[in-house]
Amino acid sequence: EAGVTQFPSHSVIEKGQTVTLRCDPISGHDNLYWYRRVMGKEIKFLLHFVKESKQDESGMPNNRFLAERTGGTYSTLKVQPAELEDSGVYFCASSPQGFGNEQFFGPGTRLTVL
Amino acid sequence: KQEVTQIPAALSVPEGENLVLNCSFTDSAIYNLQWFRQDPGKGLTSLLLIQSSQREQTSGRLNASLDKSSGRSTLYIAASQPGDSATYLCAVHMDSNYQLIWGAGTKLIIKP
């Protein structure tokens, strides 16, 4: 069974540009999460989908970040326009239907904003 | 507000030793706790998930314990090997929502 996949693995963009990150969860997992780790800090929660619905977006830093999960399958996280402080590693995770299940993580996307 | 702390930030031990990594949390209203490892430049691999009702969980040479009332978890690694070198992270899942709250990790180096 394929794990969580993320694309791209690395992205280098200039300040002001737009970047879209993609996450494909484990097939059949209703729950999808985005987290990020900025340099020197702990991993922080960004948001949580159940199927196509946003359940919790309390961790989204500002309105430059937009997440979607069309059809309840893959998800995208768009940053527009990117700022220097957005640099970090963005992780996606998924878990089966229900509360408190183990979250399985993708390899992450390393974003560098110059 | 939940805070998760991992001490030490880094640890270096000779191969073959048994070792303990520590994780503490300030709010005991947790649903479960997960231990992960991260290899340099790689993703997060789940090692063990321990439910709040459990005292410990074992997988191979790894054993995780949980003392919910005192806000502590430990990850015991037996007979350490160079391949165990990685950053180990703990994350708590609160009763009240789906998000994981993370510690900063312990960077472990096993010397051959």
Side-chain angles (χ1 to χ4, degrees):
Chain A
E1 179 182 301
V4 177
T5 58
Q6 294 186 244
F7 182 83
S9 56
H10 293 88
S11 181
V12 181
I13 61 173
E14 294 192 350
K15 176 182 172 181
Q17 289 186 322
T18 297
V19 64
T20 300
L21 313 181
R22 173 171 170 145
C23 168
D24 286 78
I26 293 172
S27 178
H29 280 190
D30 286 349
N31 294 296
L32 186 150
Y33 314 83
W34 285 97
Y35 295 85
R36 77 171 178 177
R37 187 172 200 170
V38 297
M39 184 69 72
K41 299 287 184 66
E42 294 88 351
I43 297 171
K44 296 287 190 185
F45 168 82
L46 295 178
L47 86 159
H48 165 226
F49 285 97
V50 176
K51 298 183 180 178
E52 67 276 7
S53 300
K54 291 177 189 175
Q55 289 294 113
D56 181 357
E57 49 186 331
S58 61
M60 295 287 262
N62 52 60
N63 60 9
R64 295 185 294 103
F65 289 75
L66 175 65
E68 295 181 322
R69 190 181 183 193
T70 307
T73 55
Y74 70 91
S75 175
T76 59
L77 179 65
K78 180 189 288 188
V79 185
Q80 179 183 28
E83 298 289 344
L84 299 179
E85 64 265 26
D86 300 332
S87 296
V89 181
Y90 290 75
F91 293 103
C92 175
S94 69
S95 67
Q97 180 184 29
F99 183 81
N101 291 311
E102 185 175 4
Q103 296 185 20
F104 297 90
F105 281 76
T109 293
R110 181 173 294 277
L111 174 65
T112 302
V113 183
L114 303 175
Chain B
K1 178 187 172 187
Q2 178 71 276
E3 292 184 3
V4 182
T5 303
Q6 292 186 250
I7 294 173
L11 181 64
S12 180
V13 301
E15 179 179 4
E17 283 199 2
N18 303 324
L19 59 99
V20 174
L21 305 180
N22 297 294
C23 173
S24 61
F25 46 93
T26 54
D27 186 341
S28 62
I30 67 167
Y31 190 82
N32 59 41
L33 183 148
Q34 272 185 266
W35 281 94
F36 295 85
R37 71 174 276 170
Q38 184 177 25
D39 294 279
K42 299 293 179 70
L44 299 161
T45 302
S46 180
L47 298 173
L48 289 164
L49 182 149
I50 184 164
Q51 302 290 352
S52 61
S53 58
Q54 296 177 312
R55 296 289 290 183
E56 62 179 60
Q57 192 70 257
T58 298
S59 176
R61 294 183 294 110
L62 306 179
N63 177 278
S65 70
L66 176 64
D67 185 340
K68 182 180 170 182
S69 61
S70 68
R72 292 180 182 175
S73 177
T74 62
L75 180 67
Y76 174 84
I77 302 176
S80 59
Q81 303 170 358
D84 294 330
S85 298
T87 296
Y88 290 79
L89 300 117
C90 70
V92 301
H93 187 169
M94 303 301 292
D95 281 339
S96 53
N97 58 50
Y98 281 72
Q99 60 180 270
L100 292 177
I101 301 171
W102 297 79
T106 294
K107 184 175 182 179
L108 177 64
I109 297 173
I110 306 299
K111 298 174 288 187

